[in-house]
Amino acid sequence: KTLQQELARLRETHESYRIPEYGLACEHKHSCSVLLARVDQFAVDDNSTGKRSWRTWIDYDKFYELSQKNAKDHSFTFSVEDYAAETPSWALFGSEEEGFDPTDTRHRKKTKHPKYTKFDDDGVPTHDHNGDALGEEERKKLTSLMKEAKKSLGDGCLVTESKGGEKKIEDPSLMFRGLVITK
């Protein structure tokens, strides 16, 4: 079972658990990290476009202002929603920048380059290491591999924990993202 399926099952069968819905909000490829965020606190669904945006960043000026107000008046309370800021597009899960701030300098190892540089909404590569669009035949092959992975794992991700606490995450949408080539 995937993590999302297991949480949904627990929510349905054990109403007292009150487990909120989580979603993949951000990624940072360099540190091999993703951010799972509570949908009820950090997601905003746009009914006109059907797209979800995330508010996972901290507006530090607003936080400071609120904390100072609380220090002066202990009856004043605030919550994370009061100082959450919109997540930049480059930090969103699945973005082309893969969590790298475009204003920062990115250093790559001289011989290691991403095998694919752009992906569709399902995680299937659309462009090669030079930024050139993949041919139709290669896209069909990669789409077929993605379908096979989704058939065996489902649309979600599978999280397996070892005895030592190490977690292995299998997610079909990420299967092509970490591949590199040597130039």
Side-chain angles (χ1 to χ4, degrees), residues 10-11 14-21 38:
L10 287 171
R11 275 194 297 273
H14 303 284
E15 289 182 26
S16 61
Y17 281 0
R18 298 185 190 260
I19 298 171
E21 179 185 356
R38 280 183 53 168

Side-chain angles (χ1 to χ4, degrees), residues 126-145:
T126 59
H127 291 72
D128 67 12
H129 62 281
N130 291 318
D132 298 327
L134 298 176
E136 190 175 331
E137 197 60 37
E138 187 169 3
R139 289 259 310 134
K140 283 182 183 178
K141 178 182 150 197
L142 295 171
T143 300
S144 176
L145 289 170

Side-chain angles (χ1 to χ4, degrees), residues 84-141:
E86 187 169 341
T87 307
S89 62
W90 54 264
L92 293 171
F93 181 76
S95 72
E96 186 177 324
E97 296 88 355
E98 299 174 312
F100 289 95
D101 183 340
T103 62
D104 290 345
T105 302
R106 184 172 179 180
H107 299 280
R108 296 187 187 269
K109 291 182 180 178
K110 288 181 180 177
T111 59
K112 301 269 184 168
H113 299 274
K115 185 168 183 172
Y116 303 110
T117 55
K118 292 185 181 179
F119 304 85
D120 66 15
D121 290 340
D122 292 322
V124 177
T126 59
H127 291 72
D128 67 12
H129 62 281
N130 291 318
D132 298 327
L134 298 176
E136 190 175 331
E137 197 60 37
E138 187 169 3
R139 289 259 310 134
K140 283 182 183 178
K141 178 182 150 197

Side-chain angles (χ1 to χ4, degrees), residues 141-154:
K141 178 182 150 197
L142 295 171
T143 300
S144 176
L145 289 170
M146 176 67 76
K147 284 181 182 174
E148 287 178 35
K150 282 186 173 186
K151 187 188 283 187
S152 68
L153 288 174

Side-chain angles (χ1 to χ4, degrees), residues 36-98:
L36 288 174
R38 280 183 53 168
V39 171
D40 61 331
Q41 287 184 315
F42 300 103
V44 179
D45 291 326
D46 184 338
N47 293 331
S48 62
T49 64
K51 293 194 175 200
R52 174 175 283 168
S53 62
W54 291 96
R55 296 181 50 81
T56 59
W57 284 57
I58 298 170
D59 179 338
Y60 287 100
D61 292 335
K62 184 69 173 176
F63 177 79
Y64 180 76
E65 174 190 322
L66 296 169
S67 64
Q68 291 300 305
K69 193 171 180 179
N70 173 262
K72 290 178 184 172
D73 176 6
H74 294 298
S75 66
F76 173 77
T77 60
F78 62 98
S79 67
V80 68
E81 289 94 343
D82 297 322
Y83 57 85
E86 187 169 341
T87 307
S89 62
W90 54 264
L92 293 171
F93 181 76
S95 72
E96 186 177 324
E97 296 88 355
E98 299 174 312

